[in-house]
Amino acid sequence: MPDRTRRRRQSNSRANGDRGLSEVLSYAFIFSMLVVSIGIVTVGGVGALQDVRTNEHVSNAERAFDVLHDNLADVHSEGAPSRATEIALGNGQLYLDDNVTITVETGGGTIDREIRPVVFRVAEEQHMVYAAGATLRTSRDGGVVVNDPPFLISEETVHVPIVQTTAPAVTGVGSGTVLVRGQSSNRSVAVDEVGGGDFEALRIETPRAETWEQYFARQPFCESSSVTGSEAKCQIHGDYDDPGRLYVTGQRIDLTLIK
């Protein structure tokens, strides 16, 4: 066999071997990348999926509290004798929290009422809260008032309805579905002054004082807002502190959780 032919065959054999080795290494590299990618997607995907579920649960809770807010507004604003709201808890917990206190300061003195908030613990450090006729959403990073309290405040007329939700004790239920029933039990007029009625301040003592202070800070009727300990305060602006009519009312709503 000529030397040229022998060298060509040897060269082709080495090339085939090199290509075979390269293919094996390529397959190994691609397989390793696939394994690593699947691991990353699996680990990251579980966390992302959990975030999606939590966000959806929070959205569902907010919609449920929108309905609760509207139903209880029927009681304190429209004169309905009672309303019931069904709330699906999932893995969350709904409970009637410790009392908070709302205070209205006027030239004739102060009016204060204790209020039992409704709290839905949706997830860790994420809650929906109904208190004083308002709905709040809170988390580890802070909170926001989603539905405002029913204050009707202008330069001419001030009406401060105190929505006094009550319950005999702190109670709660977890998982499944719960019915929140609110029944009107007492209506009262604390202040009804025409002309010269001084409206000085609003105060709320609550563990969520910072969220309330942020709400007060956005209102034109608040000249200044502050937090002292667990109390949020709105100092009434000079344009609103001497209305033609000052009207402070109370509506007591007895709450019951029905599993």
Side-chain angles (χ1 to χ4, degrees):
M1 179 182 299
D3 291 342
R4 183 179 299 172
T5 302
R6 185 181 296 110
R7 285 195 299 269
R8 186 182 297 115
R9 290 181 177 176
Q10 290 175 348
S11 177
N12 290 340
S13 178
R14 286 195 298 269
N16 291 335
D18 291 341
R19 280 197 300 272
L21 181 60
S22 296
E23 290 176 356
V24 171
L25 291 175
S26 297
Y27 290 145
F29 178 75
I30 293 171
F31 180 76
S32 300
M33 291 298 295
L34 285 173
V35 171
V36 171
S37 299
I38 291 171
I40 292 173
V41 170
T42 300
V43 174
V46 169
L49 181 60
Q50 184 60 43
D51 289 342
V52 169
R53 288 176 176 172
T54 299
N55 291 336
E56 182 63 23
H57 200 183
V58 172
S59 296
N60 290 339
E62 187 168 328
R63 287 191 288 269
F65 264 57
D66 283 342
V67 177
L68 176 67
H69 177 272
D70 292 344
N71 284 345
L72 293 182
D74 287 346
V75 178
H76 66 72
S77 296
E78 304 299 329
S82 66
R83 285 290 186 268
T85 307
E86 186 177 79
I87 300 177
L89 302 180
N91 293 324
Q93 180 185 23
L94 190 137
Y95 56 94
L96 304 177
D97 205 3
D98 293 327
N99 283 335
V100 303
T101 303
I102 182 170
T103 301
V104 183
E105 295 183 10
T106 72
T110 61
I111 304 98
D112 53 52
R113 297 287 186 275
E114 289 191 338
I115 296 167
R116 183 82 73 185
V118 184
V119 180
F120 185 178
R121 187 187 66 79
V122 185
E124 189 66 27
E125 301 296 333
Q126 298 195 60
H127 301 79
M128 295 299 302
V129 182
Y130 178 88
T135 303
L136 290 70
R137 183 180 66 245
T138 66
S139 66
R140 182 184 294 106
D141 299 326
V144 63
V145 174
V146 178
N147 295 306
D148 291 351
F151 304 148
L152 302 174
I153 299 174
S154 68
E155 296 179 19
E156 294 78 25
T157 302
V158 171
H159 179 199
V160 182
I162 300 176
V163 182
Q164 186 184 10
T165 47
T166 66
V170 177
T171 59
V173 294
S175 72
T177 301
V178 64
L179 197 67
V180 182
R181 185 171 185 269
Q183 181 173 1
S184 173
S185 63
N186 182 51
R187 296 178 185 271
S188 62
V189 177
V191 175
D192 186 0
E193 296 182 357
V194 179
D198 293 332
F199 179 38
E200 298 177 355
L202 280 170
R203 295 186 281 115
I204 298 182
E205 186 175 357
T206 169
R208 304 163 192 94
E210 291 185 358
T211 301
W212 277 101
E213 188 277 330
Q214 291 170 14
Y215 162 77
F216 285 147
R218 297 193 302 270
Q219 306 310 310
F221 57 80
C222 288
E223 184 170 30
S224 62
S225 59
S226 60
V227 174
T228 303
S230 61
E231 182 181 84
K233 181 177 181 179
C234 161
Q235 190 67 41
I236 301 302
H237 193 281
D239 292 339
Y240 299 84
D241 65 359
D242 189 17
R245 182 170 185 179
L246 175 62
Y247 195 41
V248 181
T249 60
Q251 168 63 73
R252 177 171 170 170
I253 302 176
D254 294 338
L255 297 175
T256 307
L257 305 184
I258 305 170
K259 182 68 172 175

